[in-house]
């Protein structure tokens, strides 16, 4: 039987290009939802603050790293819009530049906009580093951070604390 759930909450992950970090975050949270029998109960998407890679699949290096952990990333890059800020319950920026760009789009403070590191303990960096110009280990590090953050993020979403 396919898992059927009522969609109760929504989360949008945001990075710069929407081909590395945020589609990986989308994949990690969807994977977690699936593992917990909650697939479909939360709307999960990703977007970029730039339009550099519109319509592209995630970067092949990120797809390969995710595949090794059992995840297939198949979203297509799109730009974040002001409508997204109205539609989604929670909008999670990967780094401070993305966060500032989202606040600019929102024209001011908005409690729905958070940093990914808000869902991590202090042993992790405060920003998810951009792996695009680096080696394979950067992609693994991003996935490690996302896998550490998503259980807490889901917990807050389900308990209403995140939004
Ligand atoms: P992302 O990584 O923001 O994690 O998707 C990047 C992807 C592409 C570029 C920069 C960052 N770029 O400059 O093309």
């Amino acid at each position: 039987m396919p898992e059927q759930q009522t969609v109760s909450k929504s989360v949008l992950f945001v990075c710069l290009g929407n081909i590395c970090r945020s589609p990986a975050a989308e994949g990690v949270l969807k994977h977690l939802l699936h593992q917990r029998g909650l697939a479909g109960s939360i709307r999960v998407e990703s977007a970029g603050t730039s339009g550099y890679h519109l319509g592209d699949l995630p970067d092949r290096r990120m797809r390969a790293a995710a595949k090794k952990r059992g995840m297939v990333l198949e979203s297509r890059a799109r730009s974040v819009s002001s409508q997204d800020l109205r539609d989604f319950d929670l909008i999670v920026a990967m780094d401070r530049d993305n966060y500032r760009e989202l606040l600019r789009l929102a024209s001011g403070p908005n409690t729905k906009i958070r940093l990914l590191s808000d869902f991590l303990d202090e042993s992790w960096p405060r920003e998810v580093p951009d792996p695009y110009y680096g080696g394979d280990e950067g992609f693994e590090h991003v996935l490690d951070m996302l896998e550490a953050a998503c259980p807490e993020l889901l917990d807050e979403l389900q308990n209403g604390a995140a939004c």
Side-chain angles (χ1 to χ4, degrees):
M1 282 276 283
E3 289 164 349
Q4 290 213 323
Q5 306 268 342
T6 308
V7 176
S8 57
K9 288 279 171 66
S10 57
V11 55
L12 181 72
F13 293 104
V14 177
C15 62
L16 175 63
N18 192 211
I19 57 166
C20 296
R21 294 165 292 175
S22 62
E26 178 183 338
V28 168
L29 183 57
K30 283 180 173 171
H31 190 63
L32 182 63
L33 290 169
H34 183 73
Q35 285 174 327
R36 295 196 180 174
L38 297 169
S41 69
I42 293 177
R43 177 183 171 200
V44 187
E45 292 186 23
S46 63
T49 58
S50 78
Y52 300 155
H53 295 275
L54 291 182
D56 288 357
L57 279 169
D59 185 284
R60 64 176 171 72
R61 296 164 295 175
M62 186 53 94
R63 278 188 283 142
K67 196 168 175 203
K68 282 195 285 173
R69 301 183 190 212
M71 294 174 275
V72 176
L73 306 184
E74 52 192 5
S75 59
R76 294 282 178 171
R78 70 171 179 87
S79 299
V80 64
S81 68
S82 43
Q83 186 67 39
D84 288 324
L85 301 180
R86 290 190 282 277
D87 286 351
F88 284 85
D89 296 313
L90 176 64
I91 299 131
V92 183
M94 296 295 125
D95 65 31
R96 289 195 182 90
D97 285 344
N98 313 146
Y99 182 79
R100 275 191 288 270
E101 193 57 33
L102 288 168
L103 289 185
R104 198 187 59 76
L105 197 61
S107 309
N110 184 324
T111 55
K112 294 201 285 189
I113 302 171
R114 306 276 296 274
L115 262 176
L116 190 279
S117 60
D118 290 349
F119 304 98
L120 288 167
D121 69 37
E122 312 247 304
S123 66
W124 293 95
R126 294 296 88 197
E127 300 186 281
V128 184
D130 182 352
Y132 189 67
Y133 294 106
D136 288 348
E137 66 287 353
F139 292 84
E140 298 294 342
H141 180 55
V142 167
L143 287 171
D144 289 344
M145 289 187 76
L146 297 172
E147 286 181 342
C150 278
E152 175 65 24
L153 188 153
L154 177 57
D155 210 39
E156 289 198 31
L157 257 185
Q158 288 184 309
N159 294 314
C163 48

